[in-house]
């Protein structure tokens, strides 16, 4: 029996093509035609919101494999009986690396230096740094753990991991619970959000959360846009009290006239934290393994609960 697999690029099609597997290039966001019948959909998150529902109309679909960790966008569109897996293990390093880049760029005022370069304006800047700062990491899953490891060598004053429940790891590391946030936030120079979006995290970073952050603190979001209340963040940025570095936003993509683009003290990258060549290599290897398992009747790795 041939396994028909929809993939987003010709590169993926070439990588997975093997006896018993028919690769069909179909991009959920960019392909104009409706999806042909297929057993498996391998997909990234569509840029356009209305394209998400296309998952529900693929004839014969049995499994969806996501080229990401986050699955919030697809859950409402999963047909009954179709299983779902993600690319856990392939994207955490790239996302954490981008998180470090955003933190460093914002703290060391690289956007301002870039503007000065375009003006041919030599004005040395005095900046803040990770060194000596208190960095709170909100979310201690795969990305949060990798970010923690990458920030340690910069010698922050403290790295404060926060998760849904407090606990002490076997290595002695104290993980704080979200209930402790009111006491922790006033001491943080940098707050990094790595959380997924679900009912428990939607607008967790709201006006009250932001108000507890210290003056001049930096909010970094490499998790999901809806975790942060955009209007509340805009109010803090407009006042100049807080700064932000965002790889994800709400809404997403931002319209050309959205005020977040021009908010003072805000650095934005277009949801690109995982977009590296190394991620493509790792995600391709994982996809090949997933298809091998499905074709041989085995359970795919990294299954996601779709209920």
């Amino acid at each position: 029996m041939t396994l028909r697999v929809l993939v987003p690029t010709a590169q993926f099609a070439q990588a997975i093509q093997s006896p018993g597997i028919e690769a069909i290039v179909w991009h959920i966001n960019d392909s104009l035609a409706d999806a042909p019948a297929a057993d498996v959909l391998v997909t990234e998150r569509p840029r356009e919101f209305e394209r998400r529902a296309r998952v529900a109309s693929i004839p014969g679909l049995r499994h969806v494999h996501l080229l990401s960790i986050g699955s919030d966008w697809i859950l409402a569109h999963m047909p009954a009986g179709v299983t779902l897996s993600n690319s856990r293990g392939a994207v955490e390093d790239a996302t954490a690396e981008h998180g470090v880049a955003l933190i460093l760029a914002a703290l060391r005022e690289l956007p301002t230096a870039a503007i000065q370069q375009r003006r041919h304006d030599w004005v040395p800047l005095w900046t803040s740094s990770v060194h000596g700062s208190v960095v709170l990491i909100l979310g201690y899953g795969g990305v949060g753990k990798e970010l923690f490891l990458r920030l340690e060598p910069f010698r922050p004053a403290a790295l404060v991991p926060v998760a849904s429940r407090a606990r002490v790891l076997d290595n002695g590391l104290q993980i704080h619970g979200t209930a402790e946030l009111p006491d922790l936030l006033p001491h943080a120079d940098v707050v990094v959000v790595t959380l997924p979006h679900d009912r428990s995290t939607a607008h967790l970073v709201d006006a009250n959360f932001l108000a507890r952050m210290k003056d001049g603190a930096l909010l970094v979001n490499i998790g999901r846009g809806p975790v942060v209340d955009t209007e509340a963040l805009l109010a803090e940025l407009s006042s100049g009290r807080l700064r932000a570095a965002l790889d994800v936003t709400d809404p997403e993509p931002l319209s050309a006239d959205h005020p977040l683009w021009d908010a003072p003290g805000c650095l934005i990258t277009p949801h690109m934290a995982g977009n590296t060549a190394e991620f493509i290599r790792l995600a391709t290897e994982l996809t090949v393994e997933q298809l091998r398992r499905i074709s041989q009747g085995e359970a795919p790795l990294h299954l996601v609960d779709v209920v």
Side-chain angles (χ1 to χ4, degrees), residues 7-291:
V7 293
T9 67
Q11 179 183 4
F12 257 98
Q14 183 177 9
I16 70 169
Q17 194 74 52
S18 64
I21 293 179
E22 179 186 356
I24 305 165
V25 177
W26 184 79
H27 196 291
I28 190 171
N29 196 85
D30 298 338
S31 295
L32 298 179
D34 292 340
D39 301 289
V40 179
L41 169 67
V42 178
T43 186
E44 58 188 353
R45 183 176 186 262
R47 298 183 301 278
E48 305 299 332
F49 182 86
E50 62 272 13
R51 301 284 183 167
R52 300 178 181 186
R54 303 181 87 185
V55 175
S57 59
I58 300 173
L61 188 64
R62 295 193 286 131
H63 184 78
V64 178
H65 177 65
L66 298 177
L67 299 173
S68 64
I69 301 176
S71 58
D72 54 298
W73 68 268
I74 199 173
L75 295 179
H77 309 291
M78 288 290 292
V82 175
T83 52
L84 177 68
S85 60
N86 66 17
S87 290
R88 181 158 53 91
V91 70
E92 291 89 337
D93 290 288
T95 304
E97 181 179 284
H98 194 76
V100 173
L102 287 175
I103 294 168
L104 293 176
L107 292 184
R108 301 309 302 267
E109 302 286 357
L110 296 191
T112 300
I115 292 171
Q116 292 181 179
Q117 180 182 353
R118 289 195 293 272
R119 293 174 177 170
H120 299 188
D121 193 4
W122 187 278
V123 181
L125 301 169
W126 285 88
T127 73
S128 51
S129 64
V130 178
H131 186 197
S133 290
V134 174
V135 182
L136 186 152
I137 300 175
L138 182 54
Y140 198 66
V143 173
K145 292 173 184 176
E146 293 299 332
L147 181 66
F148 187 101
L149 293 173
R150 283 162 175 76
L151 289 175
E152 278 188 306
F154 289 93
R155 297 176 64 192
L159 288 174
V160 184
V162 179
S164 57
R165 62 180 180 86
R167 59 193 186 275
V168 178
L169 302 185
D170 291 342
N171 62 4
L173 179 64
Q174 172 69 54
I175 307 297
H176 298 268
T178 51
E180 301 174 67
L181 281 171
D183 295 325
L184 296 172
L185 287 171
H187 304 286
D189 300 290
V190 181
V191 175
V192 189
V193 178
T194 71
L195 294 171
H197 174 226
D198 57 33
R199 278 177 288 186
S200 70
T201 64
H203 283 194
L204 177 63
V205 181
D206 59 8
N208 290 331
F209 182 109
L210 296 169
R212 289 188 173 276
M213 291 176 62
K214 68 194 297 186
D215 290 354
L218 172 68
L219 177 73
V220 180
N221 192 359
I222 54 173
R224 283 293 180 264
V227 176
V228 176
D229 182 333
T230 299
E231 292 304 315
L233 178 60
L234 274 169
E236 293 285 10
L237 294 173
S238 298
S239 73
R241 198 183 73 82
L242 297 180
R243 296 178 289 166
L246 311 172
D247 185 58
V248 291
T249 61
D250 183 28
E252 192 174 303
L254 289 177
S255 61
D257 60 350
H258 197 283
L260 201 56
W261 285 115
D262 299 310
C266 187
L267 170 62
I268 297 173
T269 57
H271 202 149
M272 55 179 278
N275 296 1
T276 68
E278 183 65 5
F279 163 70
I280 291 296
R281 185 185 71 79
L282 293 171
T284 301
E285 289 181 354
L286 177 57
T287 300
V288 170
E289 173 61 16
Q290 297 288 59
L291 296 177

